[in-house]
């Protein structure tokens, strides 16, 4: 009969099971936990043996969890949340000498968040930061969980359980290759820019979401030549003359802009803002509180694009 033998299971095995359950794949779980795939498989097998019933069924690369597997994953989730709460209580008792900060940020924020966090960690060197990156759609899907202290993205959804803190402007600029004919012109009519071949971020990206909102307001369309799932790849494709694009200033400030020019298109840049977002159901840890205070006091000038340097 299936039974959860608490003496023969380890927290690590439950953590591994949870990672496979959440990512739907042993490969992605091994990347997330920095473990090899054989280690993951061995630990999962030990867990299934000690529970005494199959926890999942694998056909090819597809993994589907059995009813027992889902029950163990749910239990593991509750246990991890409990451990997080315990960790926060301990942090509160010890003061801010140590602790963990869990952040998940959209791909475009990965350029400037490390600079902010770097300065924060200089003040609090004992803090351990757990930093994940995904596009806007994947971050928005997580906002019901209590796994992160903060998510960073623009256009946060409005939910009762979310608290949002606006903290930095984000401008989306039109860019082209350095020698593009439009690069010498001023006040290029938007419709003329829109006829150029455009390299666009993937559906689900916040950058694309902002551009599509802008287009809706203007009843305009773009001549999308290619959809590319990475800001870096877009920058390089623009440099190599494949087309023009609209990207966040932070991809240019920190990703580099050699070989690119800013295009002076009417109506651009698109103005959006970055938000730190948290689930109110997760208790605010002392580290999280300090981060909010730190971000509120920061002069964010060096995180924004200096146009004269372009
Ligand atoms: P993205 O998000 O990196 O998914 O494009 C950017 C944003 O939220 O503005």
């Amino acid at each position: 009969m299936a039974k959860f033998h608490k003496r023969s299971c380890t927290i690590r095995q439950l953590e591994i099971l949870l990672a496979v359950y959440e990512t739907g794949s042993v490969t992605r779980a091994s990347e997330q936990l920095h473990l090899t795939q054989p280690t993951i498989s061995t630990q999962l097998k030990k867990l299934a043996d000690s529970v005494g019933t199959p926890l999942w069924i694998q056909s090819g690369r597809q993994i589907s969890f059995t009813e027992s597997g889902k029950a163990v994953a749910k239990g593991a989730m509750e246990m991890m949340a409990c451990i997080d709460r315990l960790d926060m209580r301990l942090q509160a008792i010890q003061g801010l000498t140590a602790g963990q900060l869990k952040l998940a940020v959209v791909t475009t924020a990965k350029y400037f968040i490390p600079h902010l966090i770097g300065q924060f960690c200089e003040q609090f060197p004992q803090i351990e930061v757990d930093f994940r990156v995904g596009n806007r759609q994947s971050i928005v899907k997580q906002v019901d969980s209590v796994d992160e202290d903060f998510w960073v993205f623009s256009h946060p959804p409005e939910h009762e359980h979310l608290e949002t803190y606006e903290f930095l402007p984000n401008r989306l600029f039109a860019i082209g290759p350095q020698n593009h004919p439009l690069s010498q012109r001023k006040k290029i009519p938007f419709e003329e820019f829109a006829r150029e071949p455009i390299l666009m971020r993937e559906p689900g990206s916040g950058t694309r979401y902002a551009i599509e909102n802008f287009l809706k307001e203007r009843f305009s369309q773009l001549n999308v030549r290619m959809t590319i799932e990475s800001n870096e790849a877009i920058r390089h494709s623009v440099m190599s003359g494949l087309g023009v694009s609209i990207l966040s200033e932070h991809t240019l400030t920190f990703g580099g802009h050699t070989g690119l020019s800013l295009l002076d298109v009417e109506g651009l840049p698109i103005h959006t803002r970055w938000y730190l977002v948290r689930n109110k159901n997760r208790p605010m840890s002392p580290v999280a509180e300090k981060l909010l205070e730190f971000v509120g006091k920061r002069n964010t000038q060096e995180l924004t694009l200096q146009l004269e340097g372009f």
Side-chain angles (χ1 to χ4, degrees):
M1 199 171 74
K3 182 164 181 351
F4 192 77
H5 297 275
K6 46 181 190 274
R7 288 208 187 89
S8 47
C9 296
T10 64
I11 291 182
R12 189 59 166 159
Q13 285 167 353
L14 292 175
E15 193 182 17
I16 291 174
L17 179 88
L18 198 51
V20 175
Y21 182 72
E22 285 177 346
T23 61
S25 126
V26 171
T27 316
R28 281 196 290 271
S30 70
E31 285 163 8
Q32 184 175 314
L33 297 174
H34 308 294
L35 291 174
T36 63
Q37 291 186 26
T39 308
I40 297 242
S41 305
T42 313
Q43 291 303 321
L44 288 182
K45 182 160 183 332
K46 282 190 186 161
L47 180 62
D49 287 349
S50 64
V51 175
T53 185
L55 300 179
W56 68 89
I57 298 160
Q58 180 146 16
S59 81
R61 295 179 141 239
Q62 197 69 28
I63 289 185
S64 43
F65 274 68
T66 61
E67 278 310 301
S68 306
K70 286 181 194 163
V72 176
K74 187 159 182 291
M77 233 177 262
E78 286 164 6
M79 202 145 120
M80 295 307 156
C82 187
I83 291 173
D84 277 347
R85 280 198 299 275
L86 172 62
D87 192 32
M88 282 176 212
R89 244 175 269 147
L90 290 175
Q91 278 180 41
I93 293 167
Q94 290 164 3
L96 197 76
T97 52
Q100 199 189 32
L101 180 69
K102 291 176 119 187
L103 290 175
V105 314
V106 285
T107 35
T108 304
K110 76 180 179 194
Y111 298 93
F112 66 90
I113 286 291
H115 295 268
L116 272 183
I117 296 299
Q119 290 162 3
F120 181 64
C121 289
E122 260 174 40
Q123 283 187 23
F124 306 106
Q126 309 271 359
I127 288 172
E128 182 198 324
V129 182
D130 181 306
F131 184 69
R132 290 165 205 260
V133 181
N135 77 6
R136 179 177 183 274
Q137 192 174 36
S138 74
I139 300 289
V140 168
K141 275 194 195 148
Q142 301 170 21
V143 297
D144 287 336
S145 84
V146 287
D147 293 343
E148 311 292 340
D149 288 306
F150 295 107
W151 296 279
V152 177
F153 55 105
S154 58
H155 313 93
E158 282 183 24
H159 290 312
E160 284 262 293
H161 67 282
L162 294 183
E163 235 161 26
T164 57
Y165 307 87
E166 183 183 316
F167 73 104
L168 186 68
N170 179 27
R171 294 168 299 171
L172 275 58
F173 284 95
I175 55 169
Q178 209 161 35
N179 53 2
H180 193 280
L182 293 183
S183 65
Q184 302 305 324
R185 302 244 318 265
K186 294 270 171 238
K187 298 204 164 75
I188 304 155
F190 184 81
E191 301 316 324
E192 193 177 341
F193 170 75
R195 285 195 291 275
E196 293 289 321
I198 301 275
L199 311 179
M200 186 75 141
R201 281 284 306 275
E202 76 286 3
S205 118
T207 306
R208 184 169 182 138
Y209 182 85
I211 296 172
E212 283 174 350
N213 280 349
F214 174 81
L215 293 173
K216 246 186 248 156
E217 277 167 20
R218 302 181 61 106
F219 304 102
S220 295
Q221 281 188 339
L222 291 172
N223 166 23
V224 177
R225 174 183 227 176
M226 265 166 108
T227 299
I228 304 182
E229 212 178 296
S230 133
N231 292 319
E232 287 85 359
I234 291 185
R235 274 198 347 256
H236 286 282
S237 306
V238 171
M239 277 174 213
S240 70
L242 272 175
V244 297
S245 190
I246 301 177
L247 283 186
S248 158
E249 59 185 309
H250 305 291
T251 67
L252 308 167
T253 313
F254 298 105
H257 48 73
T258 320
L260 297 174
S261 58
L262 282 188
L263 304 180
D264 182 10
V265 178
E266 273 179 335
L268 293 180
I270 300 171
H271 292 267
T272 68
R273 306 195 69 81
W274 292 114
Y275 294 85
L276 283 165
V277 179
R278 68 178 293 273
N279 186 339
K280 287 189 227 166
N281 297 325
R282 179 178 169 92
M284 175 98 89
S285 72
V287 177
E289 256 174 52
K290 275 283 167 218
L291 181 76
L292 272 187
E293 207 180 285
F294 175 82
V295 166
K297 283 191 196 142
R298 288 275 299 111
N299 169 4
T300 49
Q301 190 64 29
E302 84 253 29
L303 303 175
T304 54
L305 187 65
Q306 306 299 315
L307 294 179
E308 59 280 10
F310 215 93

